[in-house]
Amino acid sequence: MDYQKFFADNLSDIRQSGDYRIFADLEREAGAFPKAVFREGGQQAPVTVWCSNDYLGQGQNPDVIAAMHEALDACGAGAGGTRNISGTNHYHVLLEQELAKLHQREAALIFTSGYVANMTALSTLGRRLPGCLIYSDAWNHNSMIEGIRHSNADKRVFKHNDPADLERLISQDDPDAPKIVVFESVYSMDGDIAPIAEILDICEKYNALSYLDEVHAVGMYGPTGAGVAERDGVMDRVSIMQGTLAKGFGVVGGYIAASADLIDYIRSFGNGFIFTTSMPPAVAAGALASIRYVTGAQHLRDRHQERARTLIAKLKAAGIPVMPTVCHIVPVLVGDPILCKQASDALMDRHSIYVQPINYPTVPRGTERLRLTPTPLHTDEMMDDLVTALVDVWGDLALK
Ligand SMILES: *Cc1c(COP(=O)(O)O)cnc(C)c1O
């Protein structure tokens, strides 16, 4: 086999379909977010970032940066091992306590990323619970899909955000089989939110564990930023809460929070937890400082929502096709992969605005879009510039 030709041909296919991904070379500027420096072909230019998942700008919060400096100077660069072999630092312990408190759970467990948290928790539970059946929302994130796949458990996919379809499936299965219902609160590509209480009703009726990914909600929803389940007053009914330290909290890492025994179980049997070096102490310290800050920062959550609503109103007034959204994520429909890439390029080249095109397989073909994430730090002026730029690009490319 000609391996190199195989790789090159496959890459050429995705280039032609418009699905080839190009990463923008950015240098974020602490203190100036959402501004960054963009580099290309030996040139550099300032840009305004409109697609960051640092939803609250916590990546530049002075408390977070100071905590990271302090831990870095005190403990050094790396953790020094896996959690079991000399790699449990005091900051890890404090961070897990803080997360358990945030979600009002007996315990929490941290992972190197939210992806690894989903992969590990779901593959471990699905593999080890005898005859386990997993019910997965059709739009679940790849990290959950892969976790379920690696568990080798039987999977049933229910229609997106459709409790009736979930019940239709779950009611046909053996009432005594162990079951896990896996879903998200905020779905980040469309900006819709799960009917959490109704899904939990079904979990309770059929004695299933509930596994809720609140990656796009932690820090941002609920009176203490614990997520949509907290906002809806149902957090205590969720068996396993999962989140990230990378998005609303602005650092990196992932976690689950649950009963003490369930957490101890994943700690004891989860390969993606056991066989990898733990996160650097400075990262744990930064995440800890961020959670402590965000928990009390209702003004940040209020401003975040207000910014999203203001942007939606401005886009609608200018005739830009905003997709329906009930959260802080503002998707704008393009509906074609090549045009989506061209729109993104034109925004960057002509207007110094960076919005990554979102194409297949992240979203279904024909729904390619620009996904805007206004943060508390995006000003009215930045929004007006964005709207003007979008109107220009829409006219130029004759988009709908
Ligand atoms: C980003 C994301 C993850 C992964 O979290 P990371 O901390 O970035 O690895 C998990 N679930 C969902 C829904 C996500 O969007």
Side-chain angles (χ1 to χ4, degrees):
M1 169 154 203
D2 184 344
Y3 296 105
Q4 302 315 317
K5 181 172 183 312
F6 175 85
F7 301 137
D9 287 352
N10 273 254
L11 288 168
S12 146
D13 288 349
I14 56 170
R15 275 203 186 84
Q16 244 155 41
S17 65
D19 296 328
Y20 184 72
R21 294 170 183 220
I22 295 166
F23 300 160
D25 175 350
L26 295 173
E27 194 171 307
R28 306 181 81 205
E29 288 181 73
F33 182 77
K35 301 274 184 193
V37 175
F38 171 62
R39 285 194 175 77
E40 193 182 42
Q43 309 274 61
Q44 65 176 65
V47 292
T48 305
V49 178
W50 272 102
C51 57
S52 176
N53 277 346
D54 183 358
Y55 292 126
L56 300 174
Q58 281 294 98
Q60 66 172 22
N61 182 317
D63 284 11
V64 175
I65 296 172
M68 292 186 77
H69 275 296
E70 201 180 302
L72 183 63
D73 290 338
C75 307
T82 65
R83 287 294 294 275
N84 187 42
I85 309 177
S86 99
T88 296
N89 194 275
H90 189 51
Y91 288 111
H92 297 131
V93 176
L94 293 176
L95 178 56
E96 287 175 339
Q97 287 169 357
E98 191 71 26
L99 287 164
K101 194 173 106 191
L102 176 70
H103 291 295
Q104 299 166 32
R105 279 308 119 105
E106 288 169 350
L109 197 66
I110 50 173
F111 299 81
T112 44
S113 73
Y115 194 102
V116 174
N118 277 335
M119 250 315 263
T120 306
L122 290 170
S123 63
T124 306
L125 292 170
R127 182 161 14 89
R128 301 190 77 97
L129 284 165
C132 185
L133 301 171
I134 300 186
Y135 305 83
S136 177
D137 186 286
W139 289 9
N140 272 346
H141 187 256
N142 177 269
S143 53
M144 286 174 275
I145 296 171
E146 287 297 319
I148 295 165
R149 196 200 309 274
H150 278 74
S151 79
N152 284 327
D154 275 340
K155 171 168 104 165
R156 323 257 190 261
V157 176
F158 61 94
K159 284 187 199 140
H160 174 58
N161 277 352
D162 188 340
D165 195 49
L166 168 63
E167 179 151 30
R168 183 182 66 79
L169 291 168
I170 207 168
S171 63
Q172 290 169 17
D173 283 323
D174 175 2
D176 294 326
K179 300 178 180 71
I180 312 173
V181 174
V182 182
F183 61 118
E184 301 179 25
S185 58
V186 171
Y187 285 83
S188 81
M189 290 303 151
D190 285 68
D192 55 343
I193 292 183
I196 300 178
E198 290 172 61
I199 292 176
L200 293 175
D201 288 344
I202 295 166
C203 294
E204 287 158 7
K205 183 168 166 193
Y206 295 91
N207 189 30
L209 290 173
S210 49
Y211 185 101
L212 178 58
D213 174 319
E214 290 246 38
V215 159
H216 293 282
V218 290
M220 295 169 274
Y221 294 85
T224 70
V228 180
E230 183 193 36
R231 181 196 76 179
D232 293 355
V234 296
M235 189 164 65
D236 60 328
R237 295 171 56 196
V238 179
S239 317
I240 303 147
M241 296 285 300
Q242 186 271 351
T244 184
L245 303 168
K247 296 174 185 174
F249 295 125
V251 189
V252 72
Y255 65 89
I256 55 171
S259 70
D261 283 340
L262 193 146
I263 293 298
D264 201 16
Y265 192 82
I266 304 294
R267 190 187 71 88
S268 304
F269 295 107
N271 292 335
F273 175 80
I274 298 170
F275 296 104
T276 189
T277 302
S278 55
M279 66 170 67
V283 168
L288 180 63
S290 185
I291 297 166
R292 286 182 177 160
Y293 179 91
V294 167
T295 298
Q298 189 55 41
H299 63 277
L300 212 55
R301 282 185 281 281
D302 291 343
R303 165 112 178 137
H304 188 213
Q305 293 302 316
E306 175 276 318
R307 292 286 77 192
R309 305 280 85 78
T310 301
L311 179 62
I312 292 166
K314 284 178 186 284
L315 290 168
K316 283 189 174 159
I320 298 293
V322 187
M323 298 168 71
T325 170
V326 292
C327 70
H328 58 282
I329 293 157
V330 182
V332 171
L333 184 67
V334 179
D336 176 90
I338 292 168
L339 289 172
C340 197
K341 172 84 174 68
Q342 285 174 353
S344 164
D345 287 346
L347 287 170
M348 187 75 114
D349 296 343
R350 296 213 299 268
H351 301 279
S352 299
I353 284 172
Y354 171 46
V355 194
Q356 185 68 11
I358 308 280
N359 284 353
Y360 178 83
T362 308
V363 295
R365 292 194 198 279
T367 71
E368 291 81 2
R369 66 198 68 176
L370 300 174
R371 173 183 173 273
L372 305 169
T373 52
T375 72
L377 295 152
H378 285 86
T379 62
D380 278 345
E381 197 191 338
M382 290 172 189
M383 288 188 187
D384 293 338
D385 289 347
L386 172 71
V387 172
T388 307
L390 285 169
V391 168
D392 170 60
V393 168
W394 245 247
D396 201 54
L397 295 175
L399 299 177
K400 280 184 222 130

